Amino acid sequence: MRSVIIGFAFGIGLLQMQARLPGIEWYAVGLVLAGLLAFTAWKFWQPYLRIPLLLTCGAWVGFLWAAAFANYYLEQELPPAWEGRDVTVIGTVADLPDRNAQGVRFRFDVEQVVLQGTVKPPVPPRLALAWYGNRRYQAPVEDGEGTLPAPQATAEIRPGERWRLTVRLKRPHGNANPDGFDYELWLLQDDVRATGYVVGAPAAAGAPASAANRRLDAFVWTPSNAVEYARGWLRDRILAALPGEPYAPVVAALVMGDQRGISQSDWSIFNRTGIGHLMAISGLHITMLAALCGGLASWLWRRSFFTGAQLPLLLPAQKVAVIAGMLTAILYVLLAGFGVPAQRTLYMLVVVGIAFWSGRITRVSVVLCLALGLVLLLDPWSLMWPGFWLSFGAVALLMYGTVGRMQPGRAMEAAARTQWWQKLWLATKAGAQAQYIITLGLVPLTVLLFGQYSLVSPIANAVAIPLVGLVVTPLSLLGSVLPAFAAGWVLQIPHQLLAWLAEFLGWLNAMPFAVWETPLPSWWMFLLALGGTLLVLAPRGWPARWLGVFGWLPLLLNGPSAPPDGSMRVTAFDIGQGMALLVETPGHRLLYDTGPYYTPQSDGATRVLLPYLRARGIDRLDRVVISHSDIDHSGGALSLFKGVRVDSVYSSLAADSPIVKAAPAHRRCVAGQSWNWDGIGFTMLHPAPAIYDSDKWKPNALSCVLKVQIGRQSILLAGDAEAIQEDQMLNGAMAEQLPSTVLLAPHHGSRTSSTEPFLRAVRPEAAIFQVGYRNRFNHPNPEVFERYQRLGIRRLRTDESGAVTVTFGDQLGVEEYRKAHRRYWYGR
């Protein structure tokens, strides 16, 4: 069975790497082949034949199972012709809404689609909706939701409510960048096949039932709605009991699994100190709480709840403890939102509980494999996320490092110790051993997934695990259900403990070597480090365990990659409606623009640039050029300065700009500036110095236009230069510098730029349009976009291609991320 489940997992993973789903003929052939393999494995009992056959059989079944799942989910799509059109739907709020300064976001399960004349719009059954309400707010440019409705008020949305809403939808789409978050896969896993926003304000009180944006029912009973309503009720109680307290969202996350209220600064400290897994409902919390409730139930049952009924004669107290622990785990997992670590823990506890009740001893490896199989059976995409690998990897390491290691004589000696302080010592020793195994064993996997490892995590976890698991979480749960007059008093205790813990973690995080950062390793580096780790953790007596340390050397010596001598690489990020390009020479790096601003917690740097730089192991930029002050170009600057070391900044921003004040070694962009890195020339073509003396120009007119040249190849970064600026460059002193191999389309290809004389003067082979999917500005303008084609210029759009990487050297090389790393869910 274990071989089949492991093969099943391998087959599912193989499917997730495919560019397209298999046709119907694969299912027939696969099922027949899997049956033949299973029959052959049943006939041959020799392990060296049987195990490979079972692995292959499981892989076929897993591949086909995941393909069937994907086909079913992808069939429920929004046709392209219905993007950007208003439709009216009736349905229920399916999850806990996320309210912020801009409005509210929520999942919406569609029950009925209102006819438009005689046509029924083909709307998918589940939507991800936003209801914007801030009058000064514009929808995030990366959402690309077309023309926004007028500023409006939003209603108070609660889980389980039935609403009639007018919405404007689009197909699932997210930024596609190397080592970036896959938003489209995340939506597919949640069965969301269209996203959009509510058009208009809530209906006034007393409006007819046919009015748009009207609440129809206060609550619609379903099991999932009941769970989400309970989660919302608990969150509201906690936030009301701890008004304005900084760690109230952390308390809420520990009680009902909603992490969205935790600030980015807090998450940064939690992750850098290695305790991020504790700041929500994790497998460790579930196990501890199940053990506490099981122990309490056993203690009360042994005493017959002080009734004298002699209940242990009816049912052994051990079985009562198992039932209580399982029920506690199920309830807590439901509150957690059924995440992968919670699922894994629940399934393992259920399997162990059933084995105990049936009197059958179950191997730990069988329990782990059964949990693995159940998780993947219900959610084949779960293995695409780090939590899956860290969760199962940690348990597998504990099995490898502890199971069967204690000698019988020592076990008897330990059992003979009955003093409480001896038991405490044994428990502390076991905990320290487990922490050692987890800390050392997860290093290769953590570095592979995140490109960093917290060196202070052993100290942080030694304090945080018992504090959060045994004190903070139980008190938070207790306080969340107490009457209001008592809840505030009780919840203040875990909140204060979290505040003290945060101070301690901040002190650890401030240490100069708190985090080891390295580029994401290649697979051979990871496998070599993993093999070395397993050798170091091997049982005592295993020969030459110390040699495992050498398996870590490639991981420790791994450094950032750079273009070879005589070449240059430019990466145009898929950053939504904005600009950001990384120019790399053999020894230097320049970032042109920093992407858009989304929300106070999120911008182009935090979403795209910093994750990319960290994955590459880049902790320093020689220069940042911010073309002008528009928020889609400068929005990520402040976050970038905080996240990576920058040597100097060029921009056209005013001297009193917060970005200029925060920028190291700031200089104003002026035409004629130039420098040379590694034989590669950088020349500023615009703006002229005189333009700064006039206040009539809009920010676009001040765009820093930079040309980068290596040999006969070059790229022209034109910012948001418009027709007037193009004409100034055509007739200015730098006109001879305009011809370039690649052009960054001025102003995203707007109708006010990319004039034909300018394009004829530049004569590019290719042009890059950094635009957001279905952006509200309609960039690139269709007429302008056609002009590029008419002039024979290859057109590359980041909303279609994902990140575009251009390599300059002996030949011009262009890689489009969505094509080079195509997956079956892209564009679906």
Side-chain angles (χ1 to χ4, degrees), residues 107 246 285 430 591 789:
R107 297 288 192 265
H285 295 152
L591 183 69
Q789 183 183 34

Side-chain angles (χ1 to χ4, degrees), residues 112 293 482 526 550 646 781:
Q112 179 184 347
C293 292
L482 286 176
F526 165 71
F550 291 97
V646 176
N781 177 268

Side-chain angles (χ1 to χ4, degrees), residues 131 152-156 163 165 198-205 207 211-215:
W131 199 339
Q152 58 201 21
T154 60
E156 188 67 28
W163 280 80
L165 299 173
V198 179
V199 179
N213 306 335
R214 177 181 175 84
R215 183 187 291 110

Side-chain angles (χ1 to χ4, degrees), residues 685-708:
L685 306 187
H686 185 79
I691 202 171
Y692 290 109
D693 298 330
S694 173
D695 58 0
K696 73 174 183 178
W697 299 106
K698 295 180 180 180
N700 287 353
L702 302 178
S703 290
C704 304
V705 178
L706 179 67
K707 181 177 180 179
V708 188

